[in-house]
Amino acid sequence: MLNKYARAFFTRVLTPFAAFLIRRGVSPDTVTLIGTAGVVAGALVFYPRGEFFWGTVVITLFVFSDLVDGNMARQLGRSSRWGAFLDSTLDRVADGAIFGGLALWYAGSGDDNVLCAVSIFCLASGQVVSYTKARGEAIGLPVAVNGLVERAERLVVSLVAAGFAGLHKFGVPGIQYLLPIALWLVAVGSLVTLVQRVVTVRREAAEADAAAQESQGTEAAK
């Protein structure tokens, strides 16, 4: 849902900015690299210190590069396999930095081993969820399921919760508990999504193998 509606909205909003960057001679790959660097810096500089509000502000500003670079590529007519590969690869780097930064906080000053483990699980499961779809498609399967929690949902839930949790330092009472709740939700949602994709790939693989065997049997009968 977020991918469908939010992307369409922000694409319209960011199109003029993308056009401005093109006029200034900036390439889509440059935007991708700068955006990822900004997300990584925001996550690994602020989150391990418990500065969730300002860390989220920095991350959010750079996260939109994921929409700007694709918009620029479309305007330039330069959509390419390399651009898609770079974008997808650096998305995984950015996601790892966000949940890694949260894990560092809980392993250090946050002093909560359980939430540290949950953060690490969110990091790992997010990577595996993406891998299952990519690997399924690589072996010729459609992987016709998105699942309960995709990347957009993981980021929105985690970043919104982290940003609000950071308001605790400004005197807002009790709001710090939003982040642990969000991490548990993302962890459970990612696990459900992983199961959904594995089950789908298993079914599609069985159907493809059965179709191949039937085709071979038909050819042999001829």
Side-chain angles (χ1 to χ4, degrees):
M1 183 184 299
L2 286 172
N3 275 333
K4 181 178 179 181
Y5 296 106
R7 276 183 174 271
F9 171 77
F10 283 111
T11 294
R12 290 194 298 271
V13 171
L14 294 173
T15 293
F17 179 61
F20 168 76
L21 292 178
I22 291 171
R23 291 194 299 271
R24 301 294 296 179
V26 180
S27 71
D29 287 352
T30 300
V31 173
T32 302
L33 290 167
I34 292 174
T36 302
V39 170
V40 170
L44 297 183
V45 171
F46 290 95
Y47 280 1
R49 295 158 45 198
E51 297 288 346
F52 296 129
F53 177 79
W54 293 114
T56 301
V57 169
V58 173
I59 291 169
T60 301
L61 289 174
F62 285 99
V63 155
F64 284 108
S65 66
D66 192 42
L67 298 176
V68 174
D69 56 7
N71 192 309
M72 291 172 66
R74 285 189 294 274
Q75 289 190 46
L76 290 168
R78 293 183 188 170
S79 295
S80 65
R81 291 183 177 86
W82 162 249
F85 170 81
L86 180 66
D87 190 55
S88 180
T89 300
L90 293 183
D91 281 349
R92 307 287 85 76
V93 173
D95 293 358
I98 291 170
F99 289 107
L102 294 173
L104 287 172
W105 161 251
Y106 287 117
S109 301
D111 193 24
D112 193 318
N113 289 335
V114 172
L115 287 176
C116 176
V118 173
S119 299
I120 293 172
F121 179 83
C122 290
L123 189 164
S125 60
Q127 308 292 330
V128 176
V129 164
S130 297
Y131 174 79
T132 53
K133 189 173 182 66
R135 182 56 179 156
E137 292 173 343
I139 59 177
L141 301 175
V143 195
V145 63
N146 289 322
L148 181 64
V149 177
E150 295 184 80
R151 181 175 186 255
E153 285 80 8
R154 290 196 303 271
L155 284 181
V156 169
V157 171
S158 302
L159 291 178
V160 168
F164 277 112
L167 295 176
H168 178 68
K169 287 198 171 185
F170 295 91
V172 180
I175 203 165
Q176 71 272 22
Y177 298 111
L178 280 178
L179 183 54
I181 293 171
L183 289 173
W184 277 106
L185 288 175
V186 170
V188 172
S190 297
L191 179 59
V192 171
T193 303
L194 177 59
V195 172
Q196 288 176 304
R197 289 192 175 180
V198 169
V199 169
T200 298
V201 169
R202 187 177 188 278
R203 174 179 53 78
E204 291 176 349
E207 292 172 352
D209 291 342
Q213 290 176 359
E214 182 179 348
S215 177
Q216 290 175 358
T218 302
E219 290 296 326
K222 291 180 181 179

